[in-house]
Amino acid sequence: MLHGRPALLTLLRAPGLLHAGTWQAVHGMIEPDERAIEAAWRETVEETGLTPERFFVTDCIETFYSEHTDG
């Protein structure tokens, strides 16, 4: 929450990375013996340096456009 309203975080991919210059949500891989919520927490801290207060479930996750595969 930010000023009493929900806030969403998107990150701009760094130059030199695949999909550089695109806006994306935090994402990553689930490690062996790790629960999905634990992976989400870990990836958020690793990629942003921020400590989440809480997580919310979304009803849909979509893939993003890739200029490398045109898909």
Side-chain angles (χ1 to χ4, degrees):
M1 300 292 273
L2 182 64
H3 306 291
R5 299 179 65 181
L8 304 174
L9 175 67
T10 55
L11 306 172
L12 182 61
R13 296 280 293 185
L17 297 177
L18 183 63
H19 307 297
T22 61
W23 290 94
Q24 299 179 2
V26 173
H27 60 279
M29 303 294 292
I30 299 174
E31 301 292 335
D33 298 321
E34 185 177 47
R35 294 176 42 227
I37 189 69
E38 295 166 337
W41 188 276
R42 177 182 50 76
E43 291 288 351
T44 300
V45 172
E46 287 177 1
E47 293 188 18
T48 69
L50 301 172
T51 302
E53 292 180 8
R54 59 186 153 173
F55 283 103
F56 296 90
V57 176
T58 59
D59 62 349
C60 180
I61 297 174
E62 298 289 335
T63 59
F64 54 88
Y65 172 75
S66 172
E67 71 275 14
H68 302 286
T69 61
D70 197 30

